[in-house]
Amino acid sequence: MKKNDNCLYVIFGASGDLNKRKLVPSLYALFVQGLLPEKFAVLGVSRTPFTDEAHRAAMKADIHKYKEVEDASQIDAFLQKIYYVAVQVNDEAAYPAFKQQLEDLRTKEEIGGNTVFYLSTPPTSYGIIPKHLASVGLNKQKDGWKRLIIEKPFGYDLKSALKLKKILLKDWNEDQLYRIDHYLGKETVQNLLVTRFSNGIFEPLWNRNYIHRVEITAAESLGVEQRGGYYETAGALRDMVQNHLLQVAAIAAMEPPSSLEPIAIRNEVLKVFQSLRPIQQDDVHTQAIRGQYVTSTIKGEKIPGYREEEGVSPNSGTETYAALKFYIDNWRWGGVPFYIRTGKRLPTRVTEVVVHFKPTPHFLFSTGEGANACNQLVIRIQPDEGILMKFGMKTPGAGFDVQRVNMDFHYADLTNQRIPSAYERLLYDTMKGDATLFARTEEVIEAWKFLSPVLDAWTNDKSVPLHGYPAGSWGPETADELIDGEGMTWRYPCKNLSDDGIYCEL
Ligand code: BG6
């Protein structure tokens, strides 16, 4: 990795949580590694007036608190590049003066015109700030590139996503838009691409002829914490599935790209989104399960249910768990079910993709726990990043008992280098102008189209149940019935927490 061209990094929502926890600590990590441009400044923007010094002091504390790198020796040098302005961002009249402030800072720091505008604001501002920036010409690229970074949610449903698309594309080109999906910044999500396309042994098997099903789990042991207010407007489907998990599914399912160029990779990802078979309203009962955690006691501690969390309605119908079964209608995947599940307050934190291969066509061995079991390739995205291959081996001794064994690779064994955080990687890419790991407009729209019938049914059809599940369990048991095939179940079944013994935190 090398230094990018000089640029100014403008962060709207500078007093917000994301800036404190992720953005500034990640920029500092890049600074320490010498990966920020030669000439560089970060301008924090919020409504509340602060001096540069007060903002720097707050950022200093946050870099220490949410540290991304151990080396604290360069914090003061980094802070000299941090500035702050208070702007009423929803007021168009504030923008001519704001433009002048940017000019002054550029002149002072000798930066030139390249600018990143990062919207770390509530989504209600997404349709406003870009328009106001454009009203004073801050979208124009004559004096250097201008890029707009947006955090999810990219709309609330198909209708609002189409509206946002229209607003953004009125003043900005698609190649100026960077929609952050931090899952795409995770090393192991990118490693899925490398595993698939740098090894000759997987690709020939990676299709409907050899794969029985693909399962993607993103389990979280935490509840909604202090984000009850936001979560009430989202729910698990919008919060995790519409973006992160469909992106992971697309990388697992895409065709080999013709090159590593962003356009080549994104074209293949888009084709997967376009091939998602929508779940029809009539099938929502059987293909989309939702749940909400209820109070329970874990290790003697009473865990509140979702409806008791701060900012959550006592009658809330928001799902904290979602599980889907769906198909990708193309030649590679015809007939292969994909399963996605995610939830809060599950027994542990784990995100993984599990490729279940078909069983052998003829069962020779009938005894032992591994007899006739399908092979599984587990791509562990977090924690303990790595890859696990499960297969049958003879149990030593008389007879032909088959035992299931693991071929286990841990990312940590590959290198003692630290794994950069997702934000660090993505912020670097925004300065480099590499949009490979960002969602483009059409992907977002296709994802909403795919989920619309489920969202409609979950909102309007009272007969679709919202299952309660005890905090600390693997979600509603009904979700087990999603998996096709006798004896088939999720890799961590509800009643039997783990068969690797590595994810049991309870
Ligand atoms: C965020 C969601 O996008 O991703 C959160 O809003 C969720 O609700 C988080 O907890 C999960 O991210 P990670 O990186 O911890 O798996």
Side-chain angles (χ1 to χ4, degrees):
M1 296 220 283
K2 59 180 182 51
K3 281 186 185 297
N4 289 314
D5 293 343
N6 297 345
C7 75
L8 175 61
Y9 220 92
V10 180
I11 301 178
F12 290 92
S15 50
D17 220 38
L18 181 71
N19 189 40
K20 296 172 180 192
R21 283 173 182 267
K22 299 285 183 196
L23 305 186
V24 168
S26 299
L27 287 170
Y28 174 64
L30 290 170
F31 183 78
V32 168
Q33 296 164 79
L35 293 175
L36 288 187
E38 203 61 48
K39 308 268 184 189
F40 177 79
V42 186
L43 179 64
V45 183
S46 270
R47 290 165 207 229
T48 324
F50 288 114
T51 59
D52 288 340
E53 285 316 318
H55 183 60
R56 284 175 187 155
M59 295 298 108
K60 184 173 187 169
D62 292 327
I63 295 171
H64 280 295
K65 188 166 170 194
Y66 303 110
K67 74 169 169 243
E68 293 283 350
V69 276
E70 288 305 322
D71 182 354
S73 65
Q74 301 183 46
I75 294 184
D76 288 335
F78 173 69
L79 289 174
Q80 292 316 305
K81 298 290 164 199
I82 292 206
Y83 296 85
Y84 181 85
V85 288
V87 178
Q88 299 309 313
V89 292
N90 290 344
D91 179 7
E92 188 173 345
Y95 281 72
F98 176 56
K99 185 179 184 186
Q100 190 54 51
Q101 283 162 321
L102 294 194
E103 293 300 332
D104 295 347
L105 184 53
R106 283 199 187 106
T107 309
K108 178 173 178 209
E109 292 286 345
E110 301 171 351
I111 290 179
N114 296 338
T115 316
V116 174
F117 296 104
Y118 196 122
L119 303 195
S120 170
T121 60
T124 42
S125 296
Y126 291 177
I128 300 172
I129 296 175
K131 202 167 76 182
H132 292 344
L133 288 172
S135 73
V136 292
L138 282 170
N139 57 339
K140 297 276 178 289
Q141 309 203 73
K142 268 190 267 139
D143 61 341
W145 48 255
K146 305 287 180 300
R147 297 181 186 138
L148 189 67
I149 321 294
I150 306 179
E151 276 287 331
K152 75 168 198 1
F154 313 123
Y156 177 78
D157 52 15
L158 180 59
K159 195 168 157 213
S160 54
L162 285 168
K163 191 169 162 206
L164 183 61
K165 167 185 166 179
K166 203 167 156 195
I167 295 174
L168 292 176
L169 291 179
K170 180 165 178 286
D171 298 312
W172 300 77
N173 301 326
E174 179 70 39
D175 63 8
Q176 292 179 281
L177 301 179
Y178 288 69
R179 289 182 190 76
I180 289 242
D181 186 310
H182 79 277
Y183 264 59
L184 294 179
K186 289 182 191 278
E187 274 291 325
T188 34
V189 173
Q190 295 154 38
N191 191 39
L192 189 48
L193 274 178
V194 177
T195 303
R196 286 192 57 196
F197 302 130
S198 75
N199 294 296
I201 58 170
F202 296 124
E203 209 40 35
L205 306 181
W206 211 264
N207 57 52
R208 68 188 179 285
N209 296 323
Y210 298 97
I211 292 180
H212 182 268
R213 65 186 190 277
V214 178
E215 172 187 331
I216 299 171
T217 291
E220 295 185 81
S221 48
L222 293 177
V224 290
E225 306 290 288
Q226 281 76 45
R227 297 168 71 229
Y230 150 75
Y231 204 83
E232 277 287 85
T233 65
L237 204 65
R238 290 186 174 91
D239 187 48
M240 290 291 290
V241 180
Q242 192 274 339
N243 34 69
H244 307 323
L245 300 183
L246 285 179
Q247 288 286 348
V248 172
I251 292 181
M254 68 193 261
E255 294 301 316
S258 56
S259 74
L260 274 187
E261 287 302 308
I263 183 139
I265 295 183
R266 292 167 106 199
N267 280 347
E268 297 307 335
V269 167
L270 177 60
K271 283 188 211 160
V272 177
F273 280 96
Q274 289 168 333
S275 310
L276 293 171
R277 185 194 304 169
I279 297 171
Q280 300 303 326
Q281 295 252 347
D282 288 349
D283 297 326
V284 169
H285 278 83
T286 50
Q287 284 186 230
I289 307 295
R290 60 176 168 168
Q292 189 186 75
Y293 61 85
V294 297
T295 184
S296 77
T297 303
I298 301 179
K299 286 184 182 165
E301 190 194 340
K302 183 176 178 288
I303 307 293
Y306 175 68
R307 292 179 187 182
E308 296 153 60
E309 302 275 17
E310 193 188 319
V312 172
S313 152
N315 308 315
S316 173
T318 302
E319 81 284 357
T320 59
Y321 174 98
L324 300 183
K325 171 185 169 187
F326 62 94
Y327 292 90
I328 298 173
D329 283 337
N330 63 18
W331 278 50
R332 183 185 286 265
W333 296 112
V336 177
F338 278 68
Y339 299 92
I340 282 182
R341 69 175 162 163
T342 182
K344 303 254 182 221
R345 284 279 185 223
L346 299 187
T348 187
R349 174 172 182 255
V350 59
T351 303
E352 61 177 30
V353 178
V354 188
V355 178
H356 296 262
F357 291 90
K358 287 186 173 170
T360 54
H362 174 58
F363 296 148
L364 276 178
F365 309 103
S366 57
T367 53
E369 52 141 16
N372 312 327
C374 302
N375 291 113
Q376 293 174 0
L377 182 71
V378 181
I379 296 140
R380 221 184 279 127
I381 290 171
Q382 63 189 21
D384 189 12
E385 296 82 353
I387 291 191
L388 185 72
M389 180 80 209
K390 287 178 167 284
F391 58 102
M393 288 284 279
K394 182 179 178 302
T395 306
F400 281 100
D401 267 8
V402 184
Q403 151 181 359
R404 292 231 298 167
V405 296
N406 296 335
M407 206 147 69
D408 203 355
F409 161 72
H410 298 262
Y411 224 60
D413 297 339
L414 183 66
T415 166
N416 50 14
Q417 275 179 6
R418 64 181 271 279
I419 298 181
S421 76
Y423 272 95
E424 198 177 313
R425 166 67 197 257
L426 295 173
L427 295 187
Y428 177 83
D429 285 358
T430 59
M431 290 180 261
K432 187 176 168 203
D434 183 345
T436 313
L437 302 174
F438 295 81
R440 76 177 184 207
T441 304
E442 290 314 316
E443 290 167 28
V444 173
I445 300 297
E446 292 298 328
W448 282 119
K449 272 190 204 160
F450 168 63
L451 292 177
S452 281
V454 179
L455 286 167
D456 285 351
W458 284 6
T459 311
N460 304 319
D461 184 349
K462 298 269 179 295
S463 73
V464 182
L466 171 67
H467 302 274
Y469 63 94
S473 72
W474 277 102
E477 294 193 10
T478 329
D480 292 356
E481 290 157 23
L482 275 181
I483 312 272
D484 282 329
E486 209 186 313
M488 306 279 180
T489 182
W490 299 95
R491 200 168 95 81
Y492 297 102
C494 288
K495 289 185 187 115
N496 172 12
L497 285 191
S498 158
D499 58 358
D500 291 328
I502 48 177
Y503 295 134
C504 292
E505 282 175 0
L506 286 185

